[in-house]
Amino acid sequence: MTILEKKIKPGKKVYFVSDSHLGIPDYKSSLEREKLLVNWLDKISLDAGEIYFLGDIFDFWFEYKKVVPRGYVRLFGKIAALTDAGLPVYFFNGNHDLWTGHYFEEELGMKVYNEPLICRYNNSLFYIAHGDGIGPGDKGYKVLKSIFTNKMCKWLFSQIHPDLAFRTALFFSRRSRLSKGYAKLSKRGTQNDRLVQFATDFSKKHENINYFIFGHRHKPLDISLNKDTKYINTGDWFKHFSYVEFDGDNAYINYFLKP
């Protein structure tokens, strides 16, 4: 188990946010969420030591070599300003925005992760990921993800004109369960959710993990797996406007807008 060792300066915090799904259900509401996200970044930048975007920030993203998808200019400008000022910002690919290339790193200054990250802040060990394809079962999606991330498939999709590609993707997104207001949490209940099961099983094998921080489920959750380990889900920036912050000693859920 490779561990990335990090330090947070006194008075600084680590922030985690996910699942804003910018682009749906329509331009107006997406723009409102984008502006709120930028306002949140303005607020936390006062004490942020590092910021994590844990995937599905965009409901659809495909990066062409010479074309930048229209929209999100406010968010991109804010991120670039933060990284230019020396604030580390990280982006984890989600299942909706897994087709990233070099743009986020080269133009926006974000470090992009395609796989889970295990790192230590001060005396706390974190397992960080978006959450898609993690845990038992869900074999159909895991096969589908392996196809989508195949280099040949990405090349074939890149041959489609951007206007048609994005129009088609957002057409289906706007008819999705999320766009219609349904939560993504398993109907089997929290304790039987795949991410909770994964965190429970992993913590038994690696007892030193203190926090599992995931997105993907669209529901803010803070669950104690044992006396030293918690599973925390960031929720979303679609309905709950929630996020996770770590103050150097404890990680907990907070809200930009009151639920």
Side-chain angles (χ1 to χ4, degrees):
M1 185 173 67
T2 303
I3 299 174
L4 183 62
E5 300 286 348
K6 296 192 174 190
K7 291 289 184 181
I8 291 296
K9 296 180 180 179
K12 294 295 184 179
K13 297 180 179 180
V14 184
Y15 290 92
F16 306 85
V17 69
S18 73
D19 297 277
S20 54
H21 287 268
L22 297 180
I24 63 168
D26 53 57
Y27 174 80
K28 181 179 179 181
S29 61
S30 174
L31 180 59
E32 289 174 355
R33 296 200 311 280
E34 181 186 359
K35 289 180 178 179
L36 286 173
L37 197 55
V38 170
N39 290 341
W40 175 73
L41 289 171
D42 279 331
K43 177 183 176 181
I44 69 169
S45 64
L46 300 176
D47 64 3
E50 296 187 352
I51 300 172
Y52 285 83
F53 290 98
L54 295 188
D56 285 3
I57 300 302
F58 311 97
D59 196 74
F60 176 72
W61 178 268
F62 187 87
E63 186 174 316
Y64 293 85
K65 288 186 178 180
K66 300 296 183 180
V67 176
V68 178
R70 181 176 179 177
Y72 322 125
V73 62
R74 294 166 182 80
L75 178 60
F76 288 160
K78 174 54 62 177
I79 292 172
L82 293 176
T83 58
D84 285 350
L87 180 62
V89 180
Y90 309 104
F91 186 92
F92 281 66
N93 291 331
N95 49 302
H96 283 259
D97 45 23
L98 53 81
W99 276 341
T100 58
H102 301 291
Y103 179 75
F104 286 175
E105 293 192 335
E106 294 176 356
E107 295 293 331
L108 304 183
M110 292 192 292
K111 168 67 176 177
V112 176
Y113 287 97
N114 298 307
E115 300 291 339
L117 172 69
I118 299 176
C119 63
R120 192 191 318 275
Y121 286 101
N122 299 342
N123 296 317
S124 297
L125 194 61
F126 286 74
Y127 187 107
I128 305 167
H130 175 64
D132 63 310
I134 291 178
D138 206 11
K139 294 180 180 180
Y141 169 73
K142 292 174 181 177
V143 172
L144 194 62
K145 183 177 181 179
S146 68
I147 296 173
F148 284 161
T149 53
N150 180 273
K151 290 184 178 180
M152 179 57 70
C153 290
K154 291 176 67 175
W155 181 84
L156 289 172
F157 192 87
S158 71
Q159 304 310 299
I160 303 174
H161 191 280
D163 286 351
L164 178 59
F166 275 78
R167 187 184 304 119
T168 302
L170 291 175
F171 172 83
F172 287 106
S173 288
R174 286 164 182 159
R175 283 154 179 78
S176 67
R177 294 175 72 249
L178 173 62
S179 187
K180 294 177 181 178
Y182 296 103
K184 208 171 189 177
L185 187 65
S186 170
K187 293 181 180 179
R188 296 176 295 171
T190 301
Q191 295 301 330
N192 292 322
D193 185 77
R194 290 189 181 97
L195 294 181
V196 178
Q197 289 181 356
F198 169 82
T200 300
D201 294 340
F202 194 92
S203 63
K204 291 177 181 177
K205 300 175 183 177
H206 306 277
E207 296 180 359
N208 52 346
I209 298 288
N210 300 111
Y211 296 105
F212 291 87
I213 309 293
F214 293 124
H216 189 53
R217 287 309 193 204
H218 293 249
K219 188 173 180 64
L221 294 170
D222 187 333
I223 301 172
S224 294
L225 304 179
N226 57 55
K227 65 182 182 66
D228 297 317
T229 305
K230 281 190 172 186
Y231 162 88
I232 304 180
N233 197 287
T234 53
D236 66 13
W237 210 264
F238 197 87
K239 177 181 179 182
H240 299 96
F241 298 93
S242 54
Y243 58 96
V244 173
E245 60 181 87
F246 175 66
D247 61 12
D249 296 311
N250 299 290
Y252 46 89
I253 297 171
N254 210 335
Y255 296 85
F256 189 61
L257 299 180
K258 292 184 179 180

